[in-house]
């Protein structure tokens, strides 16, 4: 942000304000546009990051703002069109899982096959949002013994996985979380604030959400997917054209308040 402010010769506060406005515009664009999505296979997962400080350090952190600590981004991706149908930024609790599933259900136009990992929070969330109107299975990964070492943050070695039917009649051969996990990697590679072991992490929760909303609109609407040779939104039939960031700027201008009328100019000393 400071580099951009120097290049554009503007205050860093101006850059911050524009990013907030872009984030709010992208939240509205996704909410309004990604509706009635026709999909067959949906994969869900969650990815970790943090704001201001890691959860274990929040208690001793200096002036920790609201929302400081571990932050989890929940995503739901269409396995065929690679469209991010729904996302939610929160903690890793059952409440966050419910918010994601309720939002996902509202955006789908038909019954789908749903795959998640073995996180228990998904069980009640999927049943609460979809009832029996879903073919749901979990891909439960099996890990070997935990290896402890100084500075180690990655999980133990995955030694296998099992596919568990939860409800409906899911096609066991299509039970997978590969696409959504690959999307997690894309997020880490595309957003500096997700890079581990750096000082580029988000300092405010709201800024984290705005950065994610901007990323998801760019990924869904503005970026040509290498395999699909079109944007995921075009592949899903959500839009018929490739968007650019000018569409985001247009939404920012449309949402901007109308300037108030100013009174007549008077010179100092007049009436």
């Amino acid at each position: 942000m400071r580099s951009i402010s120097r290049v554009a010769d503007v205050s860093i506060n101006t850059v911050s304000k524009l990013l907030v406005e872009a984030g709010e515009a992208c939240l509205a664009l996704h909410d309004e546009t990604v509706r009635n999505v026709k999909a067959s296979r949906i994969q869900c997962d969650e990815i970790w990051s943090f704001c201001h400080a890691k959860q274990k350090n929040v208690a001793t952190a200096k002036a920790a703002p609201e929302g400081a600590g571990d932050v989890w981004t929940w995503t739901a991706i269409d396995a065929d069109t690679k469209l991010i149908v729904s996302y939610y930024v929160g903690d890793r609790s059952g409440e966050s899982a419910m918010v994601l599933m309720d939002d996902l259900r509202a955006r789908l136009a038909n019954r789908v096959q749903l795959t998640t990992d073995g996180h228990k929070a998904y069980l009640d969330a999927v049943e609460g949002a979809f009832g029996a109107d879903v073919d749901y299975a979990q891909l439960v990964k099996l890990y070997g013994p935990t290896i402890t070492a100084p500075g180690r943050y990655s999980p133990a070695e995955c030694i296998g996985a099992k596919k568990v039917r939860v409800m409906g009649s899911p096609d066991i051969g299509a039970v997978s979380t590969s696409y959504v996990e690959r999307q997690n990697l894309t997020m880490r590679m595309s957003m500096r604030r997700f890079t581990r072991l750096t000082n580029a992490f988000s300092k405010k929760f709201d800024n984290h959400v705005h950065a994610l909303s901007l990323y998801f609109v760019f990924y869904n609407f503005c970026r040509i997917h290498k395999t699909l040779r079109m944007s995921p939104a075009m592949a899903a039939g959500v839009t018929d054209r490739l968007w650019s960031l000018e569409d985001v700027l247009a939404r920012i201008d449309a949402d901007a308040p109308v300037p108030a009328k100013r009174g007549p100019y008077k010179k100092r000393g007049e009436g």
Side-chain angles (χ1 to χ4, degrees):
M1 290 172 59
R2 294 188 184 278
S3 298
I4 293 298
S5 68
R6 288 193 292 268
V7 170
D9 194 22
V10 296
S11 166
I12 190 173
N13 294 333
T14 301
V15 179
S16 300
K17 181 176 180 292
L18 179 59
L19 290 176
V20 169
E21 293 175 349
E24 293 293 336
C26 289
L27 284 169
L29 284 170
H30 180 91
D31 184 58
E32 296 170 5
T33 310
V34 184
R35 294 284 179 181
N36 297 317
V37 177
K38 295 180 180 179
S40 58
R41 296 177 297 152
I42 298 291
Q43 299 178 8
C44 299
D45 199 12
E46 62 282 351
I47 181 174
W48 173 86
S49 58
F50 68 93
C51 286
H52 190 78
K54 294 180 181 178
Q55 195 65 46
K56 64 180 181 180
N57 299 326
V58 171
T60 57
K62 182 179 179 180
E66 183 179 358
D70 293 350
V71 177
W72 291 83
T73 304
W74 301 67
T75 55
I77 190 172
D78 181 353
D80 297 312
T81 65
K82 311 305 182 293
L83 178 76
I84 300 293
V85 182
S86 179
Y87 66 93
Y88 178 70
V89 185
D91 55 18
R92 204 166 181 248
S93 67
E95 294 181 1
S96 294
M98 290 179 183
V99 173
L100 176 78
M101 289 301 161
D102 286 340
D103 184 70
L104 174 62
R105 179 66 186 90
R107 297 183 187 279
L108 294 173
N110 56 282
R111 182 185 180 111
V112 298
Q113 173 163 327
L114 180 66
T115 304
T116 70
D117 58 21
H119 187 29
K120 293 182 179 179
Y122 284 115
L123 296 174
D124 291 338
V126 172
E127 183 178 5
F130 291 89
D133 190 26
V134 67
D135 299 313
Y136 175 41
Q138 286 190 330
L139 184 69
V140 182
K141 293 184 178 179
L142 308 174
Y143 293 95
T146 302
I147 302 174
T148 58
R152 181 180 175 85
Y153 55 81
S154 58
E157 180 183 0
C158 180
I159 58 176
K162 62 179 180 178
K163 300 177 180 181
V164 180
R165 187 188 71 82
V166 179
M167 64 180 66
S169 301
D171 178 5
I172 296 300
V175 174
S176 172
T177 57
S178 296
Y179 290 118
V180 71
E181 289 177 0
R182 181 59 180 82
Q183 171 58 215
N184 286 347
L185 175 60
T186 302
M187 291 172 63
R188 287 210 183 276
M189 298 294 289
S190 301
M191 287 180 281
R192 180 65 171 165
R193 65 191 65 222
F194 274 80
T195 304
R196 298 179 185 270
L197 306 180
T198 72
N199 64 351
F201 53 87
S202 296
K203 311 307 185 291
K204 292 175 59 178
F205 180 80
D206 289 345
N207 290 349
H208 192 75
V209 174
H210 291 145
L212 280 163
S213 65
L214 183 60
Y215 164 78
F216 285 125
V217 164
F218 177 78
Y219 172 84
N220 278 340
F221 294 93
C222 306
R223 174 178 177 270
I224 295 179
H225 194 280
K226 186 175 181 180
T227 303
L228 301 173
R229 297 188 178 182
M230 63 180 70
S231 69
M234 295 172 67
V238 173
T239 183
D240 59 356
R241 65 181 178 88
L242 184 67
W243 290 20
S244 69
L245 291 180
E246 291 181 357
D247 294 284
V248 178
L249 294 175
R251 181 56 187 254
I252 294 174
D253 293 338
D255 291 345
V258 179
K261 292 184 178 180
R262 298 183 178 181
Y265 174 76
K266 294 183 179 180
K267 295 182 179 180
R268 182 180 297 180
E270 293 181 353

